[in-house]
Structures are given as structure tokens and as C-alpha cells.
Amino acid sequence: MNQHGSENLLNVTDVEQRRGRRFTLHGALWALQLLFGFFFAGSGFGKVLMYDAALYAAAPQAVAWYAAVPQPLIVFIGVCEVLGGVGLILPAMTRVQPMLTPLAAVGLTLTMILATGFHILRGEYELVPANLLLGGAAAYIAVGRWRLRVIAPAVITSSRVLQSLAVLVVLALAAFAPTWYTMTNA
């Protein structure tokens, strides 16, 4: 009976350890989603502001590669990054269409792969590590949310709609407003 009791204790310990690992992975994914979601949304919003001809004309002084890219392409990249950043957070947090989160991460990974190639072709090797870090984090989120810690969908409720609005307000205040202020008052 002691042997059976110790086997049971080991099984309980194994289950507790697995739960701890899942929680850690889940927590790590959430931390990455929030961090990189805000980063991509803010960075993308700065590119979206390039629709303004005056901002676009002044941009190459701050970011050299902007001079090599047409204005509409910069704005398009910005829109993709904003949507990707929001997509890393909003669908998973509200559990409304959470499969959009790994898809957003795949899109951001592809964007960073293309950015890496672009910078290598231009000889801007100092920008490549940042692209690789951002792309690697997005790829990790994609795999994590697609296969390892999938978030189950839920029905739309008023509290989920309020959560969505709260996330968008926080994004606007924490990422969009400072970017807009910095770029328009420089």
C-alpha cells in the first residue's frame, strides 16, 4: 500500500509540475503578446502618420531607409503593424475569434522577415538584429498560441465588448498618442 500511495503522490506531483509549466508558458506568451502588441501598434502608427506629406518629407532625416521606400508602402506597412499589434492582444484577451492572434503573429513574422531581407540588401546590418528579435518573438507567439497554449473561443458578451474598448483606449493613450505627439511636435 505504501508503494501505491507513493506512486499516487508522484502522479500528483507530475500533474502539478505540468500545470506549473503550462502556467509559465501561458504567462510568457501573454507577456510577449502585450509587450510586442503595444510595440508593433505604436511603431506601425508612426508609419501610418507618414501619409502626411510634410512628415514623410522630414522622415528620412530620422530614419534613413524611409528615403528608399515609397510613401504608400510605408503607410501600408504601418497599417499592417497596427493591425498585427492589436491582433496580438485583442482576440486572445476577449476570446472572440482568438485564432486571429496566431494569424496576426504570423503576419508580423513575415513582415520582419521581409524587413530583414530589405535591410541586408541595403547594407544596414545594424538593423537586422532588431528585425530578427521582433520576428522571432512574433513566431514564438504564433507557435505558442497555435499549438501549445491555444485560447478557446467564447461568445460575445457585453463585458468582452467593454474589455475590447478598454484595450483600444489603453493602446490609444499608451502607444498612439505619444507617437502622434512626438512626430507632430518635433
Side-chain angles (χ1 to χ4, degrees):
M1 183 145 171
N2 282 344
Q3 186 179 11
H4 181 67
S6 66
E7 284 177 20
N8 192 15
L9 273 176
L10 288 175
N11 288 339
V12 170
T13 304
D14 289 343
V15 169
E16 288 173 0
Q17 286 176 345
R18 276 188 255 130
R19 283 186 185 154
R21 273 192 304 244
R22 282 190 208 137
F23 176 75
T24 302
L25 177 60
H26 185 65
L29 285 168
W30 267 115
L32 288 173
Q33 283 172 247
L34 291 170
L35 178 68
F36 288 98
F38 273 86
F39 174 81
F40 277 113
S43 173
F45 186 69
K47 291 176 184 80
V48 169
L49 291 176
M50 292 297 123
Y51 76 88
D52 182 286
L55 288 176
Y56 178 71
Q61 295 169 352
V63 181
W65 66 265
Y66 280 7
V69 179
Q71 182 181 15
L73 182 56
I74 292 175
V75 173
F76 175 74
I77 293 168
V79 168
C80 291
E81 287 181 357
V82 168
L83 292 175
V86 171
L88 288 180
I89 300 168
L90 204 55
M93 182 176 282
T94 61
R95 294 176 40 155
V96 176
Q97 297 295 323
M99 189 47 101
L100 293 174
T101 294
L103 291 175
V106 166
L108 291 170
T109 302
L110 179 59
T111 303
M112 291 299 104
I113 289 170
L114 293 170
T116 300
F118 173 78
H119 291 305
I120 288 172
L121 287 174
R122 287 183 41 87
E124 298 169 334
Y125 302 110
E126 67 278 2
L127 299 175
V128 170
N131 293 137
L132 293 175
L133 173 72
L134 294 168
Y140 182 77
I141 292 168
V143 170
R145 288 301 179 204
W146 211 312
R147 297 270 182 215
L148 304 175
R149 292 293 291 161
V150 177
I151 295 177
V155 296
I156 297 175
T157 63
S158 57
S159 78
R160 292 188 198 288
V161 171
L162 289 175
Q163 276 181 342
S164 300
L165 292 174
V167 168
L168 292 174
V169 166
V170 169
L171 266 172
L173 293 174
F176 301 156
T179 301
W180 173 81
Y181 182 80
T182 302
M183 291 184 68
T184 56
N185 292 309

